[in-house]
Amino acid sequence: MLVIDASAFTRWAFPAEGSDRVSQALIRVMTEEESATSAATFPLDVLQATGCALATGRFTTAVHQHVLRLLSRLPVALAPMRISPLEFWTWAQSMQLGPHDAAYLKLAVDLKAPLVTMAPALHRACLQLDHPVITDLT
């Protein structure tokens, strides 16, 4: 079981931005060799990133549609947040993370599953917690 965040998916799906370990993990998920879950905000976070790429001309319409098809086919279960907003906010602040990043990390910690991310703040937080992380960041 892996926990996938939006930064990992977008880095994998954006042309010429793929990375080795993250790409391999997502290919294992796509081919169903490995199961994956994510925070409930995952599709919205990816849509935000891809919409910005389209709006700024970084994506053509064809590339944007391709990435959305990949997102639609990615077999990732979405998990709701199972903590009170106050507890969650306090925990996110203690980790120096925004709510979206903290949701991915909290899920990974609760499931005791490696987090697949390309977000530097999440990489740092995983190292701080000694939590397994799959990333191409050094």
Side-chain angles (χ1 to χ4, degrees):
M1 163 82 65
L2 299 173
V3 173
I4 308 295
D5 83 342
S7 73
F9 177 82
T10 56
R11 190 66 63 93
W12 174 63
F14 283 23
E17 291 190 18
S19 50
D20 292 338
R21 294 182 70 216
V22 168
S23 290
Q24 291 168 8
L26 286 165
I27 288 168
R28 287 194 315 271
V29 170
M30 187 62 89
T31 59
E32 299 185 24
E33 294 174 42
E34 182 116 40
S35 63
T37 192
S38 192
T41 61
F42 173 76
L44 299 176
D45 294 341
V46 172
L47 289 173
Q48 175 70 29
T50 60
C52 288
L54 181 63
T56 60
R58 194 168 161 207
F59 272 9
T60 64
T61 302
V63 170
H64 183 253
Q65 293 301 309
H66 171 71
V67 171
L68 295 184
R69 282 191 295 277
L70 282 174
L71 176 62
S72 297
R73 291 194 319 258
L74 189 69
V76 173
L78 300 179
M81 188 169 65
R82 291 192 168 94
I83 184 172
S84 79
L86 179 58
E87 288 176 287
F88 180 76
W89 179 256
T90 301
W91 185 80
Q93 292 299 290
S94 75
M95 298 305 303
Q96 299 176 342
L97 295 171
H100 286 257
D101 282 348
Y104 296 113
L105 180 59
K106 181 74 172 124
L107 180 60
V109 168
D110 289 351
L111 294 176
K112 296 175 180 59
L115 177 63
V116 182
T117 185
M118 288 298 292
L122 282 171
H123 180 238
R124 176 200 41 80
C126 284
L127 294 176
Q128 179 181 339
L129 293 174
D130 196 29
H131 186 81
V133 61
I134 296 173
T135 187
D136 293 311
L137 299 171
T138 54

